[in-house]
Amino acid sequence: MGKRYFCDYCDRSFQDNLHNRKKHLNGVQHLRAKKVWYDLFRDAAAILQEEQSKKPCRKFLQTGQCDFGSNCRFSHMTEMDLERLSAQVHEERRSKEQRQEGADVPVGTVEEWLEKRAKRLRLAQSNSPLPEKPSMFQYPPGWPPIQDLPPSLQAPPPRGWPIPANLQWG
């Protein structure tokens, strides 16, 4: 039977040889399917600009359906759809401008969150009626001896892993 080529855009396969592949890749069906795929990833500004330049599709406005579907040269967006898309474009531009201006993040938010979390944990421990016992780590039954385990599966030391003084990240 030979090798087969599967086209992800068209969701079909065929015998893989130079002639068949060239014929498929230059075919109208493949080019349309490829365009539909890449249109899924266009930004809102490009879609809005293209839709505003098109005239509305009469058949789609009257019946809610169009025989040409995504290949129609007229717009299938209503005024409300265009307004929503326009609002999305303005929001994206505004957030992009804020990122470029270097919008200030409140200082100390992580530290404040950690302090609040520590307070909550202390309160939860003080209010609990049963004292928590430190759990002893046990390996699952049937595992090989501890010295034969790789480091990633060995239990951490009781006080945590030591941090070397000359450790540098990055």
Side-chain angles (χ1 to χ4, degrees), residues 137 139 143-157 160-162:
F137 182 83
Y139 289 100
W143 274 33
I146 297 170
Q147 61 270 14
D148 294 341
L149 289 175
S152 62
L153 294 178
Q154 293 179 4
W161 299 104

Side-chain angles (χ1 to χ4, degrees), residues 13-62:
S13 65
F14 50 88
Q15 188 177 5
D16 189 19
N17 61 40
L18 183 63
H19 174 73
N20 288 348
R21 192 183 290 204
K22 215 181 234 188
K23 186 177 176 183
H24 174 76
L25 294 178
N26 292 327
V28 175
Q29 180 185 1
H30 174 78
L31 294 175
R32 282 184 182 161
K34 189 169 138 183
K35 181 184 182 312
V36 167
W37 172 255
Y38 281 106
D39 285 350
L40 293 173
F41 303 103
R42 289 191 314 170
D43 63 331
I47 296 171
L48 179 66
Q49 184 180 6
E50 182 180 322
E51 291 297 325
Q52 285 178 335
S53 66
K54 294 180 180 179
K55 293 180 181 177
C57 179
R58 288 185 197 163
K59 178 121 179 168
F60 187 79
L61 291 176
Q62 291 171 352

Side-chain angles (χ1 to χ4, degrees), residues 61-128:
L61 291 176
Q62 291 171 352
T63 63
Q65 290 183 326
C66 176
D67 297 335
F68 295 102
S70 61
N71 297 325
C72 184
R73 64 181 182 163
F74 299 106
S75 176
H76 290 174
M77 289 194 153
T78 63
E79 289 296 322
M80 188 178 286
D81 293 337
L82 289 173
E83 288 174 14
R84 276 194 227 120
L85 194 57
S86 178
Q88 181 182 350
V89 168
H90 290 302
E91 181 62 33
E92 286 177 2
R93 283 183 185 155
R94 194 170 56 82
S95 64
K96 185 178 178 182
E97 288 171 359
Q98 285 178 346
R99 274 187 267 128
Q100 287 177 347
E101 292 172 2
D104 295 332
V105 177
V107 179
T109 56
V110 174
E111 289 82 8
E112 291 173 8
W113 181 85
L114 287 172
E115 288 175 14
K116 289 179 184 177
R117 180 176 178 266
K119 286 179 187 176
R120 271 198 323 267
L121 290 174
R122 274 187 259 129
L123 286 173
Q125 288 175 353
S126 66
N127 292 341
S128 64

